[in-house]
Amino acid sequence: RNPNSIFVSGKNTAAHAMIELSGATNAITEFSEYKQLTPEGLTKANPDIILIPEGSAKGLGGEDFIWNLPGMNLTKAGKEKNILIVNDLLLLGFGPRFPKAISILNQKWNSIK
């Protein structure tokens, strides 16, 4: 959650589960758990959308920082400025608001197709 240490969610993470349950596909499938994001990995994954917990977005300095990450401008998400910033617990908590989280994610995925 800081500009010097940006991590991405692979398989077997809460974020991966939420993405899959909402009907989308995680762009990061080559590894499990969390790994540090590299410009090469970002451009290879070429995400359609950036999904990020609100706390992480704030910790990085907001959307401006995210769009200026090395390699971001080469991705579909970067070119189209597709981002979804979601409350940390709503996105990753799997609590009583779980159906709401799935609905929010599903609406966003469908809006960029």
Side-chain angles (χ1 to χ4, degrees):
R1 288 192 174 186
N2 70 66
N4 298 320
S5 182
I6 301 170
F7 282 78
V8 65
S9 301
K11 296 181 290 186
N12 300 319
T13 62
H16 179 82
M18 287 297 282
I19 291 167
E20 296 284 319
L21 290 169
S22 70
T25 303
N26 189 352
I28 308 295
T29 57
E30 292 185 5
F31 56 84
S32 296
E33 305 303 324
Y34 298 90
K35 296 214 185 236
Q36 195 157 13
L37 179 67
T38 65
E40 296 81 9
L42 176 61
T43 56
K44 183 177 180 184
N46 192 25
D48 294 331
I49 186 171
I50 302 301
L51 174 63
I52 187 167
E54 187 176 46
S56 296
K58 286 180 183 175
L60 291 172
E63 280 190 55
D64 288 340
F65 180 87
I66 294 166
W67 297 133
N68 288 307
L69 285 170
M72 184 63 77
N73 63 331
L74 301 174
T75 68
K76 180 179 179 184
K79 291 174 186 172
E80 298 178 4
K81 301 292 190 248
N82 287 328
I83 191 167
L84 181 55
I85 300 173
V86 181
N87 174 274
D88 296 48
L89 288 177
L90 179 63
L91 178 61
L92 304 172
F94 288 86
R97 298 183 299 163
F98 173 75
K100 179 180 178 181
I102 293 295
S103 176
I104 289 169
L105 295 176
N106 187 269
Q107 287 173 12
K108 183 65 176 184
W109 307 147
N110 288 328
S111 74
I112 64 166
K113 286 183 181 178

